Amino acid sequence: MTITITAFDRSPDGGQGLARDTRVRWALEEVGQPYEVRLVSFRGLKEPAHLALHPFGQIPTYEEGDLALFETGSIVFHIAERRAGLLPDDACARARAITWMFAAINTVEPPILELANAIVLESDKPWNNERLPLVKDRVRDRLKQLSARLGDAPWLDGPFSAGDLMMVSVLLRLRSSGLLDEYPSLSAYVARGEARPAYKRAFDAQWAVNNRPAD
Ligand SMILES: N[C@@H](CCC(=O)N[C@@H](CS)C(=O)NCC(=O)O)C(=O)O
């Protein structure tokens, strides 16, 4: 059955891989599942056809036959549950990998998004200079804890899993801030994720879309 995901017609990051379709592409590449992509303009995101798929008017979405999903956590979980390669067979190891998926999007991603908003959307506000260090420290708190847990291990819990895929995807957004460099083990962890052939294929695919000649 054909799988179709949605992605920005032109991502604001110009193809740096930060738009969230990249993590879905990565999951599909990890399990060897071909997919198609429907590109959506910013205006299209808020039109009824897209809102029927995604109530918040965002990308990515995932369609497979009659099934339509939104939210990358749910989409990656759906992919990982149905195809081998992203979740361990052992029930307890599987539950722990799923826990790391939730940790990535519920505990680590929120302060990172807050920082991105502070840098991109609030830089002109008179209070930004005072607030920014506080926001950065909230990110550092999480990075310190995550780095302590990762230790010298290559991945968060045994072999690479959907938990690592989500965590690396979330951490990638920090690169331009320089904060990741303060935690060498996390920098190396992210680099290991980026070095995976499946990540490279996902990155290249979204790069090609975002750097195609103007229509
Ligand atoms: N929690 C959602 C967030 C989705 C999201 O923020 N998508 C962004 C692109 S990465 C978007 O569509 N932004 C446009 C908008 O919100 O209008 C997920 O993980 O899927």
Side-chain angles (χ1 to χ4, degrees):
M1 195 169 294
T2 306
I3 288 174
T4 305
I5 67 167
T6 51
F8 284 133
D9 182 35
R10 298 264 174 197
S11 175
D13 74 351
Q16 293 306 308
L18 302 181
R20 289 173 178 81
D21 57 293
T22 305
R23 54 182 83 164
V24 173
R25 293 172 185 268
W26 185 7
L28 290 165
E29 292 288 353
E30 287 284 352
V31 301
Q33 172 65 54
Y35 62 97
E36 293 181 358
V37 183
R38 190 168 63 252
L39 303 177
V40 188
S41 67
F42 270 95
R43 183 160 11 129
L45 287 179
K46 311 302 175 200
E47 285 174 355
H50 189 73
L51 287 171
L53 290 173
H54 196 309
F56 306 112
Q58 296 182 316
I59 61 98
T61 57
Y62 174 103
E63 290 158 81
E64 184 178 9
D66 290 339
L67 177 69
L69 297 175
F70 59 96
E71 285 296 333
T72 52
S74 165
I75 296 169
V76 171
F77 181 49
H78 175 78
I79 294 165
E81 259 204 314
R82 276 155 188 79
R83 295 168 185 87
L86 281 172
L87 286 174
D89 290 335
D90 173 76
C92 289
R94 198 176 178 90
R96 288 196 303 272
I98 294 165
T99 299
W100 279 115
M101 294 182 69
F102 277 87
I105 49 184
N106 277 0
T107 303
V108 178
E109 191 167 48
I112 292 176
L113 290 182
E114 203 187 347
L115 177 62
N117 286 339
I119 293 172
V120 177
L121 304 176
E122 298 166 0
S123 60
D124 58 339
K125 305 289 184 217
W127 35 262
N128 191 259
N129 278 351
E130 255 182 288
R131 183 166 180 266
L132 199 53
L134 304 176
V135 176
K136 286 187 173 173
D137 280 347
R138 283 200 281 274
V139 174
R140 286 191 181 98
D141 285 345
R142 289 293 178 243
L143 297 184
K144 193 172 157 201
Q145 293 160 329
L146 187 64
S147 161
R149 172 52 77 98
L150 180 66
D152 296 331
W155 306 114
L156 287 166
D157 192 326
F160 176 84
S161 77
D164 295 299
L165 186 151
M166 292 304 285
M167 192 63 82
V168 168
S169 299
V170 160
L171 293 175
L172 269 167
R173 289 187 156 239
L174 275 179
R175 179 160 284 144
S176 61
S177 74
L179 287 186
L180 206 51
D181 301 330
E182 297 176 19
Y183 301 85
S185 69
L186 291 183
S187 276
Y189 171 64
V190 169
R192 269 192 295 283
E194 288 176 296
R196 292 182 70 82
Y199 177 82
K200 288 185 178 167
R201 289 194 295 274
F203 181 92
D204 290 349
Q206 65 77 39
W207 173 268
V209 164
N210 286 299
N211 289 278
R212 70 193 190 280
D215 306 319

